Amino acid sequence: MQIPVVRNVLEANEKMAAHVRKRLSDNGILTLNLISSPGAGKTTLLERTLTDLAGEFRMAVVEGDLQTDNDARRVAATGAQAVQINTDGGCHLDSNMILTALDSLDLTGVDILFIENVGNLVCPVEFDCGEDAKVALLSVAEGDDKPEKYPLLFNLARALVLNKVDLLPYVDFDMTRARNFATKLNKDLDIFEVSCRQGQGLQEWYSWLRDKRAAKKEGRPV
């Protein structure tokens, strides 16, 4: 009896996601849903991105967390708009939460909206939040088999950020193996090897953001 219930929940979410997507598209906003396990570096990636591209784009962030507003305060310290969603134990954000959060943001002139989802490689993937694309993050400290163990995220993501590459000499992580797993699931996946701490690889990530923002502005597929 659980299958029809789950199906109904997802269908209701998809209908709401369509409203979110239209509202953001009407404002010409590129929307990216960042998904990773806890500690992979989503917030640090956002801090660097919001700081380094502040002169190019107006950006905003919807932060998802179980209880605290720690990440939202870190993001807001960069000068970007940020709104916090506390799920009170919920393992993902959904489109209704995003629609409500948008009312707390001034969308006028916003170029890019980042959704930092709850740290989880399973549930957030199944719920469309009205984004243009999902971005998967994986740190080298987690293991190179994550794309094989959690295939749906890497199958649906438009980009994969492999973070903390500065730790490669100290961890058992095979970059080729991780890439092969991911691209077997998704041959069109754009992959970036970065160190948010040291800045390595971030320029390629920024170029990808510029390209996707231009596509959104020109009405091309993101």
Side-chain angles (χ1 to χ4, degrees), residues 109-127:
V110 170
D111 298 300
I112 304 174
L113 173 67
F114 294 100
I115 299 169
E116 182 177 353
N117 221 307
V118 178
N120 188 325
L121 289 176
V122 181
C123 301
V125 186
E126 298 180 343
F127 284 80

Side-chain angles (χ1 to χ4, degrees), residues 6 10 13-14 35 122-128 134 152 156:
V6 171
L10 291 175
N13 182 77
E14 288 170 4
I35 300 176
V122 181
C123 301
V125 186
E126 298 180 343
F127 284 80
D128 185 352
K134 290 177 171 63
L152 185 59
L156 296 180

Side-chain angles (χ1 to χ4, degrees), residues 171-190:
V171 297
D172 184 16
F173 187 96
D174 187 325
M175 187 66 74
T176 300
R177 188 165 183 254
R179 279 178 163 271
N180 287 343
F181 278 144
T183 55
K184 183 177 179 180
L185 292 164
N186 183 349
K187 64 181 178 59
D188 298 320
L189 188 67
D190 294 316

Side-chain angles (χ1 to χ4, degrees), residues 33-104:
N33 188 356
L34 308 185
I35 300 176
S36 78
S37 58
K42 294 189 301 297
T43 308
T44 305
L45 178 68
L46 282 175
E47 287 178 308
R48 291 295 302 254
T49 301
L50 296 169
T51 299
D52 292 349
L53 299 185
E56 293 185 50
F57 303 117
R58 187 178 181 200
M59 295 170 283
V61 180
V62 174
E63 281 286 349
D65 205 346
L66 299 183
Q67 295 290 341
T68 74
D69 65 349
N70 294 351
D71 292 344
R73 286 189 283 107
R74 286 173 59 185
V75 165
T78 69
Q81 290 189 81
V83 58
Q84 178 73 51
I85 297 174
N86 287 124
T87 63
D88 295 322
C91 58
H92 62 272
L93 298 178
D94 62 34
S95 55
N96 187 54
M97 295 176 186
I98 300 301
L99 190 62
T100 300
L102 293 182
D103 291 334
S104 299

